[in-house]
Structure formats: C-alpha cells, structure tokens
Amino acid sequence: MKKTGAEIFVESLKQEGVDVLFGIPGGVVLKIFDVLHQQKDVEVILTRHEQGAAHMAEGYAKATGKAGVCLVTSGPGMTNIVTGLADAFMDSVPLVAFTGQVSTNLIGNDAFQEADNVGISRPCTKHNVLVKDVNDLARTIKEAFYIATTGRPGPVLVDIPKDVSTDKAEFKYPDKVSLRGYNPTIEGNKHQIKQAAEEIMKAKKPVIYVGGGALFSDAADELLEMAELTQIPVTMTLMGLGSFPGTHPLSMGMLGMHGSYWSNMAMHHADLLIAVGARFDDRVTGKLSEFSPVARVVHIDIDPTSIKKNVHAHIPIVGDVRSVLKQLNVLLRSLDGNANERKQQLKPWLGQIEEWKRGHPFKYEQDDKVIKPQYVLEKLFEITKNEGIVATDVGQHQMWAAQYFKGKKPRTFITSGGLGTMGFGFPAALGAQRAYPDKLVMCITSEGSFQMNLQELATAAVYKLPVKIVMLNNGFHGMVRQWQDLFYEGRYASSDLGKIPDFIKLGEAYGIPGWRAEKPAEVESVIREGLKYKGPAILDFQIYPFENCYPMIPAGGPHHEMVLEDPPDLRSGAKKKPIEEKEGELPA
C-alpha cells in the first residue's frame, strides 16, 4: 500500500527513534503537520518562533547526544532557522532540519514564500538536499540522520516541496547507508597512537586539552581513565566542559580568554599538549605565535580538516576520540612499568599548577549592598549540589557560569560556543528539559540575551517545561560594556539597554511566576523559592552593573599575559587611554 510523502516522513522519523520535533506549521507543510497530528509517537512542540525551534532542537541534541529535529515552513520559516543552523554547524551539533518548499513546478518562479533553502543553508550545514521525488524521501531522511550523527556531527537540512508531501510511493526504509565519498575514520593509526603513548610517558609538563569532540564521542570514561592513569592535569574548552569532572583534583577547569589563571599558565609552560576533540579556536589560543611555545602537540580528532588548521600537530591522530583513547589507554597501561617513578616525574609540575591556583583563584569583592553575579552563581551551585543541567546565553554571565559551575557529568553544560548566539540559552534549556522532564534544568541568562527569544515563555507555559530562568540583570550588554570600559574610554555606545521590562510582570502575563532579589541578603531565598516551584519560574537578580569578568586575556594576547582585575584607572573612575584593539577580536 502506497503512502503519501507526509506519511513517509512521519514513518521515517519513527524508524529513527525520534520522539519529539520542534516547529511551526505553514502552508507548504500543512500536510505533514496534519499527519503528525493524527499519531502519538512523535510529539510536536509548537514554538513561537522558528529560531526557537532550531535552538530547542540543539538543546535536545546537546543534552542527549541524539539528533535534534525541527520542522518549519518555506520562505521566512526557513530563513528564521539560519542562526540555529549556523550555531549547530560551529558547535558540531547533530541537527536535522526539515523545511517546506513550494511545489516543484513553482520553484524558481518567485512563488509566495519561496526561498532558495538549499542555497541559503549551504555554508552553514554539513549537508543539505532538495527532495524532488517522493520515491527518494525515505532514503534521503535515512541519509540525513546518518550524516548528522556520524563523523564530526553537524546540521543537515532536508527541503521538502509541497507536492512531494502529497504524492504517493511505497514506503521502504533502508537498513543502512552507503555514501561514496563519506566514510569517517573511526580507528586511529596504530603507529601514531604508539608514538603518542611514548611522548606521554616521557613528558614532564603535560596537559590534556579537551574540546566538545570528547562529549559527542561519549569519551568521558576513557578520558577519566587516561588522566588518572597518567596523572596528567585536564583543561577544557567552553564546549568541552562536563567531559571531565570539574571537581576532580586533576581538573583545571576552562582555559582561554576567560579561563582560569592556572590552566592558561599550564598551557603556556607545557612541554606536551594532548588535544582531544578540540580545534584550537582563537578564544583558546590567544596570540598564535606565542601559544604553548615549547610544547609538542598530539592532536586527536575525527575531522582531519581540524588537524593542523591553526596549530601544528607533531603527532596527528585522525579517529573517533573514544576509540582512540581506548587504544591509547591500553598502550599506556602496558608502558606504565614504574607508576611510582611516573608520579615523582610529574610531582613538580602538579605542584606548580597548585601554586598558580592558590596564588590566583577566581575571586570577586563581596558586598552587602549590591549583588555580585559571582555570588549568585556560587549560591546556586551550592544549593543545587552540582546537580542538574545548565544552559547559558552568551556574554559575561556565560563566562561566570563556566567559571563557577563545576559540572561533574557530561552533557550538563549547554552553551553556544563557536557562533556565540545571544538568545540561544532559553530555547536550548527548553529542549534539554523536554529530553529530561524530571531533571532540574536552569537557564543562566541576562536581560539582553533573554529578550532575543523571550517569546518562548509561551512554549514553556503551554508544555509545562519547568525551566528555571536565572537572570543576571545588569541593564547592559555586559561584555560589550566591559570592552568599552577597557578599550573605548568608557563610551557606552549602544550597550546601555535603557528601559528594561519588568520580567516578573512579563512572566505573570504567561502564567509563569517570578521572584526578584535586589540585595545580597535576598539571593538565597529567591533561589530556594524558584527551585521549589514545580513549573517554569523567573529568578531576577538585580546585579551590580559594572562588574567585570576576569581573568581576561586581552585581545590577541598570549596566555601568560592575563588581566586579573580592573586596571587602577578604571577602579578610580578616571578616564583611561584606550588599549589598542587587535584586528578580528570582538566581544561576545
């Protein structure tokens, strides 16, 4: 019996184990939504904006490791998800986006709500395809999920014309996919892995530097085994947070522009870097010519184009991170002939890192009159006992969250790393909450970021997704204001937000309660009230507006030249000469 394209679409999602999609209907996808409406296996979360749908799918994918799915209509429906596609592309998120298209006979005629979905999405997707024949639909969907979730994960867009969703064909879902020219390398080269093991065993100042690739490879156990086996300290990128327990004695937390002093100093003085699923992006490396000047580099990554792109790798290993670490750990165990000697070998190095840590911990000046953002996050971390999932927006609050939340489990810190998308955090938190309805999910945001996708308060209310919105409200685009203080003599060009909505009243309009803290003594009670509430809630913290985020590697600077606190002239309120800004360096 033949099925319509819409029926084939839904059956294909069931074959892939999809239990939820995020989207908004429109004229050319009405047939698909109609079929979805008549079944119960795939839930449809109706968002209030297509960008929200894409970020919810991202949040679902980052929390689960499975592909997130969104479905939108043609024209503006598709163009509204472009930011989500670009975000997923930069952060290697497995996302399958389905877009509606005008009927095949109208393509190219400037039909109503027509857009070149394939052309528009080409630079920001791993793969995209226009389905012209209903007989190709099932195979195309199978390939889309395969490509999105294998190799270096990424977004795939499938464009479905209206007539393809109504035409009929036999439903035959392929058992497997075979694509000429797409065969990701899983197993690492044995000779190179052996070389890496030998380098590790003789290094005196080694550092394991971990990126998001370790999370998508599910390599947390293998990473922990390697670190404990070798006693090598571990630092993580923003995208790699959670891949290694943040409270582990060998954890150095995040490195890079706002990373810990001790992790950046360790990177600068290391004699061996073991890069695991990381891509040496500019926020991590700082000044490339002075990046880890004496270190030899072992680079493990499934994407061969990432290796040697920014930093030369002495021992490149192309392969799945988990698979390579398993092989490497076997070799390391066989080479670890004298464990005591090994520990003695690294003792001075670990001692030096501890000294850096004691000398320059994360710090802020507590105040009993104004709320410091770091204090809010410290209390939140303490009260939640390091449980739950944190999703962040982008800006100062994102960096403070990365510094003060020491996640102990993979996939519990969800953020926009590469693209740095303001407005990502709240919908991503909703996607994560849909994936884990019984877990505590917190969105750490600011008034600037939150206003970019606050319409999804309706989605939270309708679907009863109990995300706790923790808002660090300072009335500014905070990171922009910080850079203007440091580099533009305090001229706040368009960073002062002026009129800010009353978020408590805004939440009430959607039936979502809120609590506000205006002084430090109110912080803990607001956190406890918000967490106690069973549904979505807004926790509005009126924080000190001129708090800056440190440590900070100045634009284009090297790791060992960090700014640790406000310069004296900034603290005194005197106008200062602007620091020269390097080309290509922008605030988040």
Side-chain angles (χ1 to χ4, degrees), residues 262-381:
W262 54 98
S263 65
N264 285 331
M265 291 299 284
M267 289 292 282
H268 184 75
H269 292 280
D271 64 358
L272 177 69
L273 295 184
I274 305 128
V276 180
R279 60 186 176 89
F280 295 90
D281 74 277
D282 57 302
R283 288 257 160 151
V284 162
T285 62
K287 189 175 184 179
L288 267 176
S289 61
E290 294 187 35
F291 173 73
S292 297
V294 298
R296 288 180 61 78
V297 175
V298 176
H299 194 173
I300 304 167
D301 203 293
I302 198 164
D303 179 7
T305 66
S306 287
I307 292 179
K308 296 185 181 179
K309 184 167 68 176
N310 296 325
V311 170
H312 178 73
H314 300 87
I315 304 175
I317 303 175
V318 178
D320 172 69
V321 165
R322 186 181 183 193
S323 172
V324 171
L325 290 186
K326 277 185 176 179
Q327 295 173 267
L328 188 55
N329 285 339
V330 170
L331 276 176
L332 288 170
R333 278 195 295 273
S334 70
L335 293 173
D336 189 20
N338 190 332
N340 288 331
E341 185 178 320
R342 171 70 179 161
K343 288 179 181 176
Q344 288 301 315
Q345 182 178 316
L346 291 187
K347 191 174 180 180
W349 177 233
L350 295 175
Q352 174 64 73
I353 292 171
E354 275 303 309
E355 189 175 322
W356 284 325
K357 189 174 183 177
R358 285 194 300 272
H360 299 285
F362 292 128
K363 62 181 180 180
Y364 62 96
E365 293 182 12
Q366 178 62 304
D367 195 304
D368 60 358
K369 295 180 180 176
V370 295
I371 299 174
K372 291 299 183 73
Q374 303 95 324
Y375 174 69
V376 175
L377 296 176
E378 277 188 332
K379 293 306 291 184
L380 190 63
F381 182 73

Side-chain angles (χ1 to χ4, degrees), residues 489-508:
E489 298 183 279
R491 292 186 297 276
Y492 298 148
S494 301
S495 57
D496 186 343
L497 291 172
K499 182 66 176 176
I500 303 292
D502 183 328
F503 291 106
I504 305 301
K505 289 183 177 177
L506 182 69
E508 288 173 357

Side-chain angles (χ1 to χ4, degrees), residues 522-542:
E522 298 169 342
V523 168
E524 183 167 343
S525 62
V526 165
I527 292 174
R528 291 191 183 280
E529 287 294 327
L531 294 180
K532 191 167 62 177
Y533 184 71
K534 297 297 182 185
I538 297 174
L539 287 61
D540 182 9
F541 298 95
Q542 303 282 310

